Coordinates of all heavy atoms in Angstrom, one line a residue:
S124 N 0.8 -1.2 0.0 CA 0.0 0.0 0.0 C 0.9 1.2 0.0 O 2.0 1.2 0.4 CB -0.9 0.0 1.2 OG -0.2 0.2 2.4
L125 N 0.3 2.3 -0.5 CA 1.0 3.6 -0.5 C 0.6 4.5 0.7 O -0.6 4.5 1.1 CB 0.7 4.3 -1.8 CG 1.1 3.6 -3.1 CD1 0.7 4.4 -4.3 CD2 2.6 3.5 -3.1
S126 N 1.6 5.2 1.2 CA 1.2 6.1 2.3 C 2.1 7.4 2.3 O 3.2 7.4 1.6 CB 1.5 5.4 3.7 OG 2.8 5.0 3.8
I127 N 1.7 8.4 2.9 CA 2.3 9.7 3.0 C 3.3 9.6 4.2 O 2.8 9.4 5.3 CB 1.4 10.9 3.2 CG1 0.3 10.9 2.0 CG2 2.2 12.2 3.2 CD1 0.9 11.1 0.7
K128 N 4.6 9.8 4.0 CA 5.5 9.7 5.1 C 5.9 11.0 5.6 O 6.1 11.2 6.8 CB 6.8 9.0 4.5 CG 7.7 8.5 5.6 CD 8.7 7.5 5.1 CE 9.7 7.3 6.2 NZ 10.9 6.8 5.8
A129 N 5.9 12.1 4.8 CA 6.3 13.5 5.2 C 5.8 14.4 4.2 O 5.7 14.1 3.0 CB 7.8 13.5 5.4
T130 N 5.5 15.7 4.7 CA 5.2 16.8 3.8 C 6.0 18.0 4.2 O 6.3 18.2 5.4 CB 3.7 17.1 3.9 OG1 3.4 17.5 5.2 CG2 2.9 16.0 3.3
S131 N 6.4 18.9 3.3 CA 7.1 20.0 3.5 C 6.6 21.2 2.6 O 6.7 21.1 1.4 CB 8.6 19.8 3.4 OG 9.3 21.0 3.5
L132 N 6.1 22.2 3.2 CA 5.6 23.4 2.4 C 6.6 24.5 2.6 O 7.0 24.9 3.6 CB 4.2 23.8 3.0 CG 3.5 25.0 2.2 CD1 3.2 24.5 0.8 CD2 2.3 25.3 2.9
S133 N 7.0 25.0 1.4 CA 7.9 26.1 1.4 C 7.5 27.2 0.4 O 6.6 27.0 -0.4 CB 9.3 25.6 1.0 OG 9.3 25.1 -0.3
R134 N 8.2 28.3 0.4 CA 8.0 29.5 -0.5 C 6.5 30.0 -0.5 O 6.0 30.4 -1.5 CB 8.4 29.1 -1.9 CG 9.8 28.7 -2.0 CD 10.3 28.6 -3.4 NE 9.4 28.1 -4.4 CZ 9.6 27.4 -5.4 NH1 10.9 27.0 -5.6 NH2 8.7 27.0 -6.3
E135 N 5.9 30.0 0.7 CA 4.5 30.4 0.8 C 4.2 31.8 0.4 O 3.1 32.2 -0.1 CB 4.0 30.2 2.2 CG 3.7 28.7 2.6 CD 3.2 28.5 4.0 OE1 2.0 28.9 4.1 OE2 3.9 28.1 4.9
E136 N 5.3 32.7 0.6 CA 5.1 34.1 0.3 C 5.3 34.4 -1.2 O 5.0 35.6 -1.6 CB 6.1 34.9 1.1 CG 6.0 34.7 2.6 CD 4.6 35.0 3.1 OE1 4.1 36.1 2.7 OE2 4.1 34.2 3.9
T137 N 5.8 33.5 -2.0 CA 6.1 33.8 -3.5 C 5.4 32.8 -4.3 O 4.3 33.1 -4.8 CB 7.6 33.7 -3.7 OG1 8.1 32.5 -3.2 CG2 8.4 34.9 -2.9
S138 N 6.0 31.7 -4.6 CA 5.3 30.6 -5.4 C 5.4 29.3 -4.6 O 6.4 28.6 -4.7 CB 6.1 30.5 -6.8 OG 7.5 30.3 -6.6
P139 N 4.3 29.0 -3.9 CA 4.4 27.9 -3.0 C 4.7 26.5 -3.6 O 4.4 26.3 -4.7 CB 2.9 27.9 -2.5 CG 2.4 29.3 -2.6 CD 3.1 29.8 -3.9
R140 N 5.4 25.7 -2.8 CA 5.9 24.4 -3.2 C 5.7 23.4 -2.1 O 6.1 23.7 -1.0 CB 7.4 24.5 -3.6 CG 8.0 23.2 -4.0 CD 9.5 23.5 -4.1 NE 10.3 22.3 -4.5 CZ 10.5 21.9 -5.8 NH1 10.2 22.7 -6.8 NH2 11.2 20.8 -6.0
L141 N 5.0 22.3 -2.4 CA 4.8 21.2 -1.4 C 5.5 20.0 -1.9 O 5.3 19.6 -3.0 CB 3.3 21.0 -1.3 CG 2.9 19.8 -0.3 CD1 3.2 20.2 1.1 CD2 1.5 19.5 -0.5
E142 N 6.4 19.5 -1.0 CA 7.1 18.2 -1.3 C 6.6 17.2 -0.4 O 6.5 17.4 0.8 CB 8.6 18.4 -1.2 CG 9.2 19.2 -2.3 CD 10.7 19.1 -2.3 OE1 11.3 18.5 -1.4 OE2 11.3 19.6 -3.3
T143 N 6.2 16.0 -1.0 CA 5.6 15.0 -0.1 C 6.4 13.7 -0.4 O 6.6 13.4 -1.6 CB 4.1 14.8 -0.5 OG1 3.4 16.1 -0.4 CG2 3.5 13.7 0.3
V144 N 6.7 13.0 0.6 CA 7.4 11.7 0.5 C 6.3 10.6 0.5 O 5.6 10.5 1.5 CB 8.4 11.4 1.6 CG1 9.1 10.0 1.4 CG2 9.5 12.5 1.6
I145 N 6.2 9.8 -0.6 CA 5.3 8.7 -0.7 C 6.1 7.4 -0.5 O 7.1 7.2 -1.2 CB 4.6 8.7 -2.1 CG1 4.1 10.1 -2.5 CG2 3.5 7.6 -2.2 CD1 3.1 10.7 -1.6
K146 N 5.5 6.5 0.4 CA 6.2 5.3 0.6 C 5.3 4.1 0.1 O 4.1 4.1 0.3 CB 6.4 5.0 2.1 CG 6.9 3.6 2.5 CD 8.2 3.7 3.1 CE 8.6 2.3 3.6 NZ 9.8 1.8 3.0
N147 N 6.0 3.2 -0.7 CA 5.3 2.0 -1.1 C 5.7 0.8 -0.2 O 6.8 0.4 -0.3 CB 5.7 1.7 -2.6 CG 5.1 0.4 -3.1 OD1 4.3 -0.2 -2.4 ND2 5.4 0.0 -4.3
S148 N 4.9 0.5 0.7 CA 5.1 -0.6 1.7 C 4.6 -1.9 1.2 O 4.7 -2.9 2.0 CB 4.6 -0.2 3.0 OG 3.2 0.0 2.9
S149 N 4.2 -2.0 -0.1 CA 3.7 -3.3 -0.5 C 4.9 -4.1 -1.1 O 6.1 -3.6 -1.1 CB 2.7 -3.1 -1.6 OG 3.3 -2.6 -2.8
L150 N 4.6 -5.3 -1.5 CA 5.6 -6.2 -2.1 C 5.7 -6.2 -3.6 O 6.4 -7.0 -4.2 CB 5.4 -7.7 -1.6 CG 5.4 -7.9 0.0 CD1 5.1 -9.3 0.3 CD2 6.8 -7.5 0.5
E151 N 4.9 -5.3 -4.2 CA 4.9 -5.1 -5.6 C 5.2 -3.7 -6.0 O 4.9 -2.7 -5.2 CB 3.6 -5.5 -6.2 CG 3.2 -7.0 -5.9 CD 1.8 -7.2 -6.5 OE1 1.1 -6.3 -6.9 OE2 1.4 -8.4 -6.3
N152 N 5.7 -3.5 -7.2 CA 5.7 -2.1 -7.8 C 4.3 -1.6 -8.0 O 3.4 -2.4 -8.3 CB 6.5 -2.2 -9.1 CG 7.9 -2.6 -9.0 OD1 8.5 -2.7 -7.9 ND2 8.6 -2.9 -10.1
V153 N 4.2 -0.3 -7.8 CA 2.9 0.4 -8.1 C 3.1 1.4 -9.2 O 4.0 2.2 -9.0 CB 2.4 1.0 -6.7 CG1 1.1 1.8 -7.0 CG2 2.2 0.1 -5.6
A154 N 2.3 1.3 -10.2 CA 2.3 2.2 -11.3 C 1.1 3.1 -11.4 O 0.1 2.8 -10.8 CB 2.5 1.4 -12.6
N155 N 1.3 4.2 -12.2 CA 0.2 5.2 -12.5 C -0.4 5.8 -11.2 O -1.6 5.6 -10.9 CB -0.9 4.5 -13.3 CG -0.4 3.9 -14.6 OD1 0.5 4.6 -15.2 ND2 -0.8 2.8 -15.0
V156 N 0.5 6.4 -10.4 CA 0.0 7.0 -9.1 C -0.4 8.5 -9.4 O 0.4 9.3 -9.7 CB 1.1 6.9 -8.1 CG1 0.6 7.5 -6.8 CG2 1.6 5.4 -7.9
D157 N -1.6 8.7 -9.1 CA -2.2 10.1 -9.3 C -2.3 10.7 -7.9 O -3.0 10.1 -7.1 CB -3.6 9.9 -10.0 CG -4.2 11.3 -10.3 OD1 -3.7 12.0 -11.1 OD2 -5.3 11.6 -9.7
L158 N -1.8 11.9 -7.7 CA -1.8 12.5 -6.4 C -2.4 13.9 -6.5 O -2.2 14.7 -7.4 CB -0.3 12.7 -5.9 CG 0.4 11.4 -5.8 CD1 1.8 11.6 -6.0 CD2 0.1 10.8 -4.4
T159 N -3.2 14.3 -5.5 CA -3.9 15.6 -5.4 C -3.6 16.1 -4.0 O -3.9 15.5 -3.0 CB -5.4 15.5 -5.6 OG1 -5.6 14.9 -6.9 CG2 -6.0 16.9 -5.6
A160 N -3.0 17.4 -4.0 CA -2.8 18.1 -2.7 C -3.9 19.0 -2.4 O -4.3 19.8 -3.3 CB -1.4 18.7 -2.7
L161 N -4.5 19.0 -1.2 CA -5.5 20.0 -0.9 C -5.1 20.7 0.3 O -4.7 20.1 1.4 CB -6.8 19.2 -0.5 CG -7.4 18.2 -1.6 CD1 -8.6 17.4 -1.0 CD2 -7.8 19.0 -2.8
L162 N -5.1 22.1 0.2 CA -4.7 22.9 1.3 C -5.9 23.6 1.9 O -6.8 24.1 1.2 CB -3.7 23.9 0.8 CG -2.5 23.3 0.1 CD1 -1.5 24.5 -0.3 CD2 -1.8 22.2 0.8
S163 N -6.0 23.7 3.2 CA -7.2 24.3 3.9 C -6.7 25.3 4.9 O -5.6 25.4 5.4 CB -8.0 23.2 4.6 OG -7.2 22.4 5.5
D164 N -7.7 26.2 5.2 CA -7.5 27.2 6.2 C -8.0 26.8 7.6 O -8.3 25.6 7.8 CB -8.2 28.5 5.8 CG -9.8 28.3 5.7 OD1 -10.3 27.4 6.3 OD2 -10.4 29.1 5.0
S165 N -7.9 27.7 8.5 CA -8.2 27.4 9.9 C -9.7 26.9 10.1 O -10.0 26.3 11.1 CB -7.9 28.6 10.9 OG -8.7 29.7 10.4
S166 N -10.6 27.3 9.2 CA -12.0 26.8 9.3 C -12.2 25.5 8.6 O -13.3 24.9 8.5 CB -12.9 27.8 8.6 OG -12.8 29.1 9.3
G167 N -11.1 24.9 8.0 CA -11.2 23.6 7.4 C -11.6 23.7 5.9 O -11.9 22.7 5.2
N168 N -11.7 25.0 5.4 CA -12.1 25.2 4.0 C -10.9 25.0 3.1 O -9.9 25.6 3.3 CB -12.7 26.6 3.8 CG -13.9 26.8 4.6 OD1 -14.9 26.0 4.6 ND2 -14.0 27.9 5.3
I169 N -11.1 24.2 2.0 CA -10.1 24.0 1.0 C -10.0 25.2 0.1 O -11.0 25.7 -0.4 CB -10.3 22.8 0.2 CG1 -10.2 21.5 1.1 CG2 -9.3 22.7 -1.0 CD1 -10.8 20.2 0.4
F170 N -8.8 25.8 0.0 CA -8.6 27.0 -0.8 C -7.6 26.9 -1.9 O -7.4 27.8 -2.8 CB -8.3 28.3 0.1 CG -7.0 28.2 0.7 CD1 -5.8 28.6 0.1 CD2 -6.9 27.7 2.1 CE1 -4.6 28.6 0.8 CE2 -5.7 27.7 2.8 CZ -4.5 28.1 2.1
A171 N -6.9 25.7 -2.0 CA -5.9 25.5 -3.0 C -5.7 24.0 -3.3 O -5.9 23.2 -2.3 CB -4.6 26.2 -2.6
A172 N -5.5 23.7 -4.5 CA -5.4 22.3 -4.9 C -4.3 22.2 -6.0 O -4.1 23.2 -6.7 CB -6.6 21.6 -5.3
S173 N -3.6 21.1 -6.1 CA -2.7 20.9 -7.1 C -2.5 19.3 -7.4 O -2.8 18.6 -6.4 CB -1.3 21.4 -6.7 OG -0.4 21.3 -7.8
K174 N -2.2 19.0 -8.6 CA -2.1 17.5 -8.9 C -0.7 17.2 -9.5 O -0.1 18.1 -10.1 CB -3.1 17.1 -10.0 CG -4.5 17.1 -9.5 CD -5.5 16.6 -10.6 CE -5.3 15.2 -10.9 NZ -6.3 14.3 -10.4
T175 N -0.3 16.0 -9.3 CA 0.9 15.5 -9.9 C 0.8 14.0 -10.1 O -0.2 13.4 -9.7 CB 2.2 15.9 -9.1 OG1 3.4 15.7 -9.9 CG2 2.2 15.1 -7.8
F176 N 1.7 13.5 -10.8 CA 1.7 12.0 -11.2 C 3.0 11.4 -11.0 O 4.0 12.0 -11.3 CB 1.3 12.0 -12.7 CG 0.9 10.7 -13.2 CD1 -0.3 10.1 -13.0 CD2 1.9 9.9 -13.9 CE1 -0.6 8.8 -13.5 CE2 1.6 8.7 -14.4 CZ 0.4 8.1 -14.2
I177 N 3.0 10.2 -10.5 CA 4.3 9.4 -10.4 C 4.1 8.2 -11.3 O 3.1 7.4 -11.1 CB 4.6 9.0 -9.0 CG1 4.8 10.3 -8.1 CG2 5.8 8.1 -8.9 CD1 4.9 9.9 -6.6
D178 N 5.0 7.9 -12.3 CA 4.9 6.8 -13.1 C 4.9 5.4 -12.4 O 4.1 4.6 -12.7 CB 6.0 6.8 -14.2 CG 5.9 7.9 -15.2 OD1 4.7 8.3 -15.6 OD2 6.9 8.5 -15.6
S179 N 5.9 5.3 -11.5 CA 6.0 4.1 -10.7 C 6.8 4.2 -9.5 O 7.7 5.1 -9.5 CB 6.8 3.1 -11.7 OG 7.0 1.8 -11.0
I180 N 6.5 3.5 -8.5 CA 7.2 3.4 -7.2 C 7.5 1.9 -7.0 O 6.6 1.1 -6.9 CB 6.4 4.0 -6.0 CG1 6.0 5.4 -6.3 CG2 7.3 3.9 -4.8 CD1 5.1 6.0 -5.2
S181 N 8.7 1.6 -6.8 CA 9.1 0.2 -6.6 C 8.7 -0.3 -5.2 O 8.6 0.5 -4.3 CB 10.6 0.0 -6.8 OG 11.0 0.4 -8.1
D182 N 8.6 -1.6 -5.1 CA 8.2 -2.2 -3.8 C 9.3 -1.8 -2.7 O 10.5 -1.8 -2.9 CB 8.1 -3.7 -3.9 CG 9.3 -4.3 -4.4 OD1 9.7 -4.1 -5.6 OD2 9.9 -5.1 -3.7
G183 N 8.8 -1.4 -1.6 CA 9.7 -0.9 -0.4 C 10.4 0.4 -0.6 O 11.1 0.7 0.3
Q184 N 10.1 1.1 -1.7 CA 10.8 2.4 -2.0 C 10.0 3.6 -1.7 O 8.8 3.5 -1.4 CB 11.2 2.4 -3.4 CG 12.2 1.3 -3.8 CD 13.5 1.4 -3.0 OE1 14.2 2.4 -2.9 NE2 13.8 0.3 -2.3
E185 N 10.6 4.7 -1.7 CA 9.9 6.0 -1.5 C 10.2 6.8 -2.7 O 11.1 6.7 -3.5 CB 10.6 6.8 -0.3 CG 10.3 6.0 1.0 CD 11.0 6.8 2.2 OE1 11.7 7.7 1.9 OE2 10.7 6.3 3.3
S186 N 9.2 7.8 -3.0 CA 9.3 8.7 -4.0 C 8.9 10.1 -3.6 O 8.0 10.2 -2.6 CB 8.5 8.3 -5.2 OG 8.6 9.1 -6.3
I187 N 9.5 11.1 -4.1 CA 9.0 12.5 -3.8 C 8.1 13.1 -4.8 O 8.4 13.0 -6.0 CB 10.3 13.4 -3.6 CG1 11.1 12.9 -2.5 CG2 9.8 14.9 -3.4 CD1 12.4 13.7 -2.3
A188 N 6.9 13.5 -4.4 CA 6.0 14.2 -5.2 C 6.0 15.7 -4.9 O 6.0 16.1 -3.7 CB 4.5 13.6 -4.9
T189 N 6.1 16.5 -6.0 CA 6.2 17.9 -5.8 C 4.9 18.6 -6.4 O 4.6 18.3 -7.5 CB 7.4 18.5 -6.5 OG1 8.6 17.8 -6.0 CG2 7.6 19.9 -6.3
F190 N 4.3 19.5 -5.6 CA 3.2 20.2 -6.0 C 3.6 21.7 -6.0 O 4.3 22.1 -5.1 CB 2.0 20.1 -5.1 CG 1.6 18.6 -4.9 CD1 2.1 17.8 -3.9 CD2 0.6 18.1 -5.7 CE1 1.8 16.5 -3.7 CE2 0.2 16.7 -5.5 CZ 0.8 16.0 -4.5
T191 N 3.1 22.4 -7.0 CA 3.5 23.9 -7.0 C 2.3 24.7 -7.4 O 1.3 24.3 -7.9 CB 4.6 24.1 -8.1 OG1 4.2 23.7 -9.3 CG2 5.9 23.4 -7.8
W192 N 2.4 26.0 -7.0 CA 1.4 27.0 -7.3 C 2.1 28.2 -7.9 O 3.2 28.6 -7.4 CB 0.6 27.4 -6.1 CG -0.3 26.2 -5.6 CD1 -1.7 26.1 -5.9 CD2 0.0 25.1 -4.7 NE1 -2.1 24.9 -5.3 CE2 -1.1 24.3 -4.6 CE3 1.2 24.8 -4.1 CZ2 -1.1 23.2 -3.8 CZ3 1.2 23.6 -3.3 CH2 0.1 22.8 -3.2
P193 N 1.5 29.0 -8.8 CA 2.2 30.1 -9.5 C 2.3 31.3 -8.6 O 3.2 32.2 -8.9 CB 1.3 30.3 -10.7 CG 0.0 29.8 -10.4 CD 0.2 28.6 -9.4
K194 N 1.4 31.5 -7.6 CA 1.5 32.7 -6.8 C 1.2 32.4 -5.3 O 0.6 31.4 -5.0 CB 0.7 33.8 -7.3 CG -0.8 33.4 -7.4 CD -1.6 34.6 -8.0 CE -3.1 34.2 -8.1 NZ -4.0 35.2 -8.6
A195 N 1.6 33.4 -4.5 CA 1.3 33.2 -3.1 C -0.2 33.0 -2.7 O -1.0 33.5 -3.4 CB 1.9 34.4 -2.3
F196 N -0.4 32.3 -1.6 CA -1.8 32.2 -1.1 C -2.2 33.5 -0.4 O -1.4 34.1 0.2 CB -1.9 30.9 -0.2 CG -1.4 29.7 -0.8 CD1 -0.5 28.9 -0.1 CD2 -1.9 29.2 -2.0 CE1 0.0 27.7 -0.6 CE2 -1.4 28.0 -2.5 CZ -0.5 27.2 -1.8
G197 N -3.5 33.7 -0.5 CA -4.0 34.9 0.2 C -4.3 34.6 1.7 O -4.7 35.5 2.4
Q198 N -4.0 33.4 2.1 CA -4.3 33.0 3.5 C -3.3 32.0 4.0 O -2.6 31.4 3.2 CB -5.7 32.6 3.6 CG -6.1 31.5 2.6 CD -7.6 31.3 2.4 OE1 -8.3 31.1 3.4 NE2 -8.0 31.6 1.2
R199 N -3.4 31.7 5.3 CA -2.4 30.8 5.9 C -2.9 29.4 5.7 O -4.1 29.1 5.9 CB -2.3 31.2 7.4 CG -1.2 30.4 8.1 CD -1.1 31.1 9.5 NE -0.2 30.2 10.3 CZ -0.8 29.3 11.2 NH1 -2.1 29.2 11.4 NH2 0.0 28.5 11.9
V200 N -1.9 28.5 5.4 CA -2.2 27.1 5.3 C -2.2 26.4 6.7 O -1.2 26.6 7.4 CB -1.1 26.4 4.4 CG1 -1.4 24.9 4.3 CG2 -1.1 27.0 3.0
V201 N -3.3 25.8 7.1 CA -3.4 25.2 8.3 C -3.4 23.7 8.2 O -2.8 22.9 9.0 CB -4.6 25.7 9.1 CG1 -4.8 24.9 10.4 CG2 -4.5 27.1 9.4
G202 N -4.1 23.2 7.1 CA -4.2 21.8 6.9 C -3.7 21.4 5.5 O -3.9 22.1 4.5
I203 N -3.0 20.2 5.4 CA -2.6 19.6 4.2 C -3.0 18.2 4.1 O -2.8 17.5 5.0 CB -1.0 19.7 4.1 CG1 -0.5 21.1 4.1 CG2 -0.6 19.0 2.8 CD1 1.0 21.2 4.2
K204 N -3.8 17.9 3.0 CA -4.2 16.5 2.8 C -3.8 16.1 1.4 O -4.0 16.9 0.4 CB -5.7 16.4 2.9 CG -6.2 15.0 2.7 CD -7.7 14.9 3.1 CE -8.0 13.4 3.1 NZ -9.4 13.2 3.6
V205 N -3.1 15.0 1.2 CA -2.8 14.5 -0.1 C -3.5 13.2 -0.4 O -3.5 12.2 0.4 CB -1.2 14.2 -0.1 CG1 -0.8 13.6 -1.5 CG2 -0.4 15.5 0.1
L206 N -4.3 13.2 -1.5 CA -5.1 12.1 -1.9 C -4.3 11.2 -2.8 O -3.7 11.8 -3.8 CB -6.4 12.5 -2.5 CG -7.2 13.5 -1.8 CD1 -8.4 14.0 -2.6 CD2 -7.7 12.9 -0.4
I207 N -4.2 9.9 -2.6 CA -3.5 9.0 -3.5 C -4.4 8.1 -4.2 O -5.4 7.5 -3.6 CB -2.5 8.1 -2.7 CG1 -1.6 9.0 -1.8 CG2 -1.8 7.2 -3.5 CD1 -0.7 8.2 -0.8
R208 N -4.3 8.1 -5.5 CA -5.2 7.2 -6.3 C -4.3 6.5 -7.4 O -3.5 7.1 -8.0 CB -6.1 8.1 -7.1 CG -7.5 7.4 -7.3 CD -8.5 8.4 -7.8 NE -7.9 9.1 -9.0 CZ -8.6 9.5 -10.0 NH1 -10.0 9.3 -10.1 NH2 -8.1 10.2 -11.0
V209 N -4.4 5.1 -7.4 CA -3.7 4.4 -8.4 C -4.6 4.1 -9.5 O -5.7 3.5 -9.4 CB -3.2 3.0 -7.7 CG1 -2.5 2.2 -8.8 CG2 -2.3 3.3 -6.5
L210 N -4.2 4.6 -10.7 CA -5.0 4.5 -11.9 C -4.8 3.1 -12.5 O -3.7 2.6 -12.6 CB -4.7 5.6 -12.9 CG -4.9 7.0 -12.3 CD1 -4.4 8.0 -13.4 CD2 -6.3 7.3 -11.9
P211 N -5.8 2.6 -13.2 CA -5.7 1.3 -13.9 C -4.7 1.5 -15.1 O -4.6 2.6 -15.7 CB -7.1 1.0 -14.4 CG -7.9 2.2 -14.3 CD -7.2 3.1 -13.2
E212 N -4.0 0.5 -15.5 CA -3.1 0.5 -16.5 C -3.7 0.5 -17.9 O -4.8 0.0 -18.0 CB -2.0 -0.6 -16.4 CG -1.2 -0.4 -15.2 CD 0.1 -1.4 -15.2 OE1 0.6 -1.6 -16.3 OE2 0.4 -1.8 -14.1

């Protein structure tokens, strides 16, 4: 199975960047990994989203997924949720 091991948000004042470490703890390679990052405010409202794609993560390995936004957010990020979806081949 795939899981989020760590997240790191940087450059919030200019062009925000979120790096997420994805771990494949299964015994098989996982391909076609679709990832969506959802950022929320103190009220729990989602105000920013970004998508990225990982071709493949080998069994037992980690991969870094990077999400970017073109300009600074107008509010403070309080919550980060990354949705993982494995697409059919």
Side-chain angles (χ1 to χ4, degrees):
S124 71
L125 298 176
S126 60
I127 305 299
K128 196 168 172 200
T130 58
S131 173
L132 184 63
S133 61
R134 302 189 327 213
E135 287 183 72
E136 304 301 317
T137 54
S138 54
R140 175 185 180 96
L141 176 67
E142 288 191 353
T143 305
V144 178
I145 311 297
K146 170 117 175 121
N147 178 2
S148 54
S149 72
L150 299 175
E151 298 179 354
N152 294 347
V153 177
N155 301 322
V156 182
D157 183 66
L158 300 151
T159 305
L161 304 173
L162 307 184
S163 57
D164 62 17
S165 59
S166 298
N168 298 313
I169 295 168
F170 65 86
S173 182
K174 286 184 72 106
T175 194
F176 187 83
I177 298 174
D178 290 326
S179 177
I180 305 175
S181 299
D182 56 297
Q184 297 299 305
E185 295 177 353
S186 183
I187 296 177
T189 303
F190 303 90
T191 58
W192 290 267
K194 59 183 181 179
F196 304 130
Q198 51 201 303
R199 188 167 166 266
V200 177
V201 175
I203 298 172
K204 182 169 186 173
V205 178
L206 307 176
I207 304 172
R208 214 169 51 142
V209 178
L210 303 175
E212 294 192 34

